[in-house]
Every structure is written in structure tokens, then in C-alpha cells.
Amino acid sequence: MSFPNPQDALPLPTRPNLERYRKLAKELAKASKSSDESAVHRWVVHWIRALGKRNKLHATARDVATFAASIGKCTLAQAQFVIARCHGFESWPKFSKHLQALAAKSTMSRFEAAADAVVNGDIATVSRLLREDPKLVKAVSSREHGSTLLHYVSAYGVESYRQKTPENIVSIIELLLNAGAEVDATSHVYGGECTTLGLASTSVHPEKAGVQEALLHVLLDHGASM
């Protein structure tokens, strides 16, 4: 069973710690075996509150609790799976590898910083990260959707808390494309392979920001396939 809506994945804390997540999984496994029917829900509420204010934009405690409870009396491995899926990863091994990569200041660590910069309109940070690591422009997220930085421009199909369109998003997409981003790269969302053009053309966020048409023109000018 998968999390109800992968795009509503929970955000990671500012400094995610693998050992803390291992402890969290043990606590869930213990709660699932408790005679107290509210034990799992209390575990979920405690976890979500610890993630901080940003979580108000994404998955609710009810969604996570329902998913966790659907596993029943879970083993440690199953509890780890629940946590990984709720953060948007296909498995615990992929989730733990992601956390280790973040701690190691790797390309994936820079990718995460760049994704935040893209959706927040921080073009200076995006530019700096691309200079420091040119491979970043073609890197893909280790989350289930496997999106590139270009896909985050669409504000669709990626994590809910990153679905937003800054005023300077057209300048950012031009920066990414001029740096070598693959205009027709696909991400694994909504049961298929989606390009940035397809996602951006159906995304409400650039439309509300009044930049949707400009975004589409830039993508088409760079050879995006219809």
C-alpha cells in the first residue's frame, strides 16, 4: 500500500537525522502493537508537530495515521516503510540513502537546496549552486517522482510544499535551460511520464501568478516537444 497522495509527502526537518528516524520507526512499531487504539495517532501527531510549521501545507495527521494504521501490527521494517513513503520515497533504503547524501554535502544535498531556491525565487542561489556543481542541472530527485530542477518550475507533480510560483520564475527557467537542463526530461507522476511543458500547461500556480504563458513560450523556444 502506498501513501494516499505522493505529492502530499511530508517535508523533512531542517537537519534530518537517520538515527532519529530509526528510533521513530521503533516507536511506531511499538505503538502499532499497543492495546491503546489511539497510540498510532498520538505517534503521528507528535511526529508531524516536530516537523515544524511548514507541514500545515501538506499531508494531514489523519492521512498519515490512516496509512500507518492500515499496516496493522507492524514490524520494524514495515514501520520504516511507512516513514519513507510519507516522505515521498519508495522504500526505506532509498530514504536512508537520501538522508546520508544530505549529511555528506553531496550533489543530492545541493539539489535539495536548489529546488528550494527555485520555488522561492532565489535566483542568486540557483546560479551559485549551478556554478559549483554543473551536473546539478541534469540531476534528478531521489524521491519517487524523479523530477529534475526544471520540473520544479512547473509547480506541479512535486512535493506540495514546493508547489508555488515566484514572480521571477521565467528568469529562473531561462537560467536552467541555458545551463543545459533537458527541456523534455520526464518525471514519474500521475501514472505516467510528464515533461515540464505538460506539467506547466496544467498547473494552477503559474496561471495564478500570471506567468504561465511566458513559461510555455520559453519552453517551446528551447525546443520542447508538444
Side-chain angles (χ1 to χ4, degrees), residues 14-85:
T14 303
R15 294 181 178 82
N17 182 282
L18 182 56
E19 289 306 314
R20 175 69 187 102
Y21 272 104
R22 285 173 174 154
K23 180 180 179 182
L24 197 64
K26 291 178 181 178
E27 292 170 352
L28 172 57
K30 181 178 179 180
S32 73
K33 297 179 177 69
S34 172
S35 58
D36 182 353
E37 294 183 357
S38 64
V40 170
H41 187 267
R42 286 203 309 275
W43 173 88
V44 171
V45 170
H46 176 74
W47 176 28
I48 289 180
R49 284 177 177 171
L51 292 176
K53 295 180 180 179
R54 287 195 306 164
N55 182 61
K56 291 180 180 179
L57 300 175
H58 340 297
T60 64
R62 181 186 301 174
D63 292 331
V64 179
T66 298
F67 176 49
S70 71
I71 306 296
K73 294 182 179 180
C74 59
T75 63
L76 177 59
Q78 289 172 320
Q80 291 173 335
F81 172 73
V82 168
I83 290 172
R85 291 298 300 133

Side-chain angles (χ1 to χ4, degrees), residues 23-214:
K23 180 180 179 182
L24 197 64
K26 291 178 181 178
E27 292 170 352
L28 172 57
K30 181 178 179 180
S32 73
K33 297 179 177 69
S34 172
S35 58
D36 182 353
E37 294 183 357
S38 64
V40 170
H41 187 267
R42 286 203 309 275
W43 173 88
V44 171
V45 170
H46 176 74
W47 176 28
I48 289 180
R49 284 177 177 171
L51 292 176
K53 295 180 180 179
R54 287 195 306 164
N55 182 61
K56 291 180 180 179
L57 300 175
H58 340 297
T60 64
R62 181 186 301 174
D63 292 331
V64 179
T66 298
F67 176 49
S70 71
I71 306 296
K73 294 182 179 180
C74 59
T75 63
L76 177 59
Q78 289 172 320
Q80 291 173 335
F81 172 73
V82 168
I83 290 172
R85 291 298 300 133
C86 287
H87 274 304
F89 294 84
E90 294 175 284
S91 67
W92 175 262
K94 289 186 177 181
F95 177 56
S96 59
K97 184 178 180 180
H98 180 83
L99 295 187
Q100 291 168 343
L102 293 182
K105 305 299 181 183
S106 63
T107 292
M108 186 48 60
S109 176
R110 288 186 285 274
F111 180 94
E112 288 293 302
D116 281 336
V118 166
V119 302
N120 289 319
D122 187 354
I123 193 168
T125 295
V126 177
S127 181
R128 174 179 59 80
L129 289 169
L130 291 175
R131 288 196 306 271
E132 293 174 354
D133 190 348
K135 300 188 299 296
L136 202 59
V137 76
K138 294 185 179 181
V140 299
S141 172
S142 56
R143 288 179 173 80
E144 183 179 6
H145 51 68
S147 297
T148 66
L149 290 176
L150 196 66
H151 290 108
Y152 280 90
V153 170
S154 72
Y156 199 33
V158 296
E159 306 82 68
S160 295
Y161 58 93
R162 283 173 167 161
Q163 291 186 18
K164 50 188 177 179
T165 301
E167 293 180 355
N168 64 343
I169 196 63
V170 173
S171 295
I172 290 176
I173 195 172
E174 288 176 338
L175 172 64
L176 292 171
L177 289 167
N178 289 333
E182 296 182 13
V183 70
D184 284 327
T186 58
S187 61
H188 318 301
V189 294
Y190 305 119
E193 303 296 302
C194 296
T195 63
T196 302
L197 180 66
L199 291 170
S201 66
T202 54
S203 178
V204 67
H205 302 290
E207 180 184 16
K208 286 183 176 180
V211 297
Q212 187 174 53
E213 186 175 344

